[in-house]
Amino acid sequence: MASLASGIAVSVILCAAAARAQIPLPSDDDAKPDPATLFANQCGTCHIAQKSDEVRQGPNLFGVYGRRAGTYPGFKYSAGFAKADWVWDEAHLDRWLTNPQAMIPGAVMLYHQDDPTVRHTIIGYLKEQH
């Protein structure tokens, strides 16, 4: 049991380290990344956005737009989500992707995205996943 717990802890640490590193976009100013590819590169380590019961380190984001925060069935959220009395919309997703820790102190998600264009592309992709 202890080795399982330590294995999970190592996995979380490795994912956290990967999430902290924002993946740069192509340097060609004319190249707009495909939203699905951008989501896969920026969020896919911890999330999927496909109709499925699969969860990774984070909840499945299929249908997240318009869903009440912290309510994906079977996913264990951090304690701060118990106080989240709102649904995921553009404003909440943008704020979350900008700085999850400021929005919900103690949240496990360490990824953040400083580039508003990348955030809006990810949000647009999530809006389409229903």
Side-chain angles (χ1 to χ4, degrees), residues 58-105:
N60 184 336
L61 299 180
F62 183 83
V64 71
Y65 193 87
R67 182 190 312 154
R68 187 168 184 262
T71 62
Y72 186 81
F75 187 78
K76 182 162 174 42
Y77 288 89
S78 55
F81 272 98
K83 299 175 187 170
D85 190 23
W86 36 266
V87 299
W88 291 112
D89 57 16
E90 286 187 40
H92 285 99
L93 285 166
D94 188 57
R95 186 173 165 213
W96 176 253
L97 292 172
T98 300
N99 189 346
Q101 301 300 315
M103 189 168 177
I104 299 181

Side-chain angles (χ1 to χ4, degrees), residues 8-33:
I8 292 171
V10 168
S11 294
V12 169
I13 290 168
L14 291 174
C15 285
R20 291 292 296 167
Q22 294 183 34
I23 299 167
L25 296 177
S27 60
D28 182 3
D29 290 336
D30 295 330
K32 288 189 90 170

